[in-house]
Every structure is written in structure tokens, then in C-alpha cells.
Amino acid sequence: MIITKDQLIQDCLKLAGSYLDHPYGEFADVIKNAAGKSFAVIGILTDKDIASIKKNCDPNAPVVAGDINITMKCPPELIFPLRDKYEALIPGYYSNRNHWNTAILNKDVPYEEILKMVQLSYELVASKSKK
């Protein structure tokens, strides 16, 4: 089953208080919690994105123009075990690579696993919002 960008957005919006925002323009769908904190950034990769990912994130990333990607917060202790497990999980694109991962959809990361990562990102951001 191929996951679409719209399906991914709708699944992210199922989390309580979540809403869609576009602070970076129409090309980046940012999902925020009720406190206004971003927990997921969704986009479609362009050739320029591919070049940047190959240069700055992972030269072996299995990415092509048109791929859907989602960047999510992740506990530092899980960053490398998850990246080691999945080829299509790379350091956070345009984010702190020690705290964020980017998953390329419809590759080797099962969608159920991506949804677990979204939930974890949501929880991590929510815990920061309460401080």
C-alpha cells in the first residue's frame, strides 16, 4: 500500500489538539500541538532537497525527487538505533540531527513504525510544552 502525503497529514492530525500550519510556506506542512509546538514537518522532496540531503545528511540516502518525507523529534538514545535499522530514516533534514529524524515514506520504514515515531515526537514536544 502506498501512503500519500494527505493520508500522513490526516493521521498526524488525529493526535489531540493537533493542527496544520505553514510557517515556512506552502511547501512544508507543519503539524503542531495545541501549544503551538511543531512535532512533524511533512514535505515532498525536490532535486534541490536531494542534493542537500546527500551533501549534509546522508550521502547514501535512498531518495528521489517526489518522495514524501516527514521529520520528527526523537529521543537521542533512539536516534542511532532507528537510523541503523532503516535505510530510509536519515538525520533530520533542516533540523537538529541529534534530536530529529527524517523518514522517507514508502521505502523500508513500515508505516506503522512511522506512526509510532509521530506519536513519540508528539509526546516529546508535549512534555517540553508543559515546562
Side-chain angles (χ1 to χ4, degrees):
M1 173 171 86
I2 301 296
I3 304 303
T4 66
K5 181 179 167 190
D6 288 339
Q7 179 180 352
L8 178 59
I9 291 169
Q10 290 308 310
D11 285 339
C12 289
L13 292 174
K14 290 177 182 175
L15 297 169
S18 298
Y19 66 96
L20 180 60
D21 195 10
H22 294 96
Y24 309 117
E26 65 185 75
F27 300 106
D29 296 301
V30 180
I31 312 297
K32 295 183 175 183
N33 68 11
K37 300 293 184 180
S38 303
F39 66 90
V41 179
I42 301 167
I44 297 177
L45 297 177
T46 65
D47 288 331
K48 182 179 174 185
D49 295 321
I50 302 300
S52 180
I53 286 170
K54 296 279 188 178
K55 179 180 178 185
N56 299 312
C57 296
D58 182 351
N60 300 313
V63 291
V64 296
D67 279 344
I68 302 163
N69 68 92
I70 180 169
T71 301
M72 307 154 286
K73 192 166 181 105
C74 184
E77 65 273 11
L78 293 179
I79 290 276
F80 293 107
L82 285 170
R83 287 182 197 160
D84 288 345
K85 186 173 182 179
Y86 300 109
E87 184 178 79
L89 192 66
I90 61 174
Y93 181 54
Y94 279 122
S95 57
N96 183 322
R97 292 173 179 93
N98 294 319
H99 296 279
W100 293 78
N101 276 330
T102 295
I104 311 303
L105 265 63
N106 303 309
K107 303 285 183 175
D108 70 332
V109 186
Y111 190 59
E112 301 79 31
E113 188 73 20
I114 290 173
L115 293 178
K116 288 177 188 176
M117 291 181 214
V118 168
Q119 177 71 41
L120 183 56
S121 180
Y122 174 84
E123 291 168 5
L124 288 168
V125 171
S127 69
K128 289 266 187 189
S129 298
K130 293 177 184 176
K131 289 183 179 179

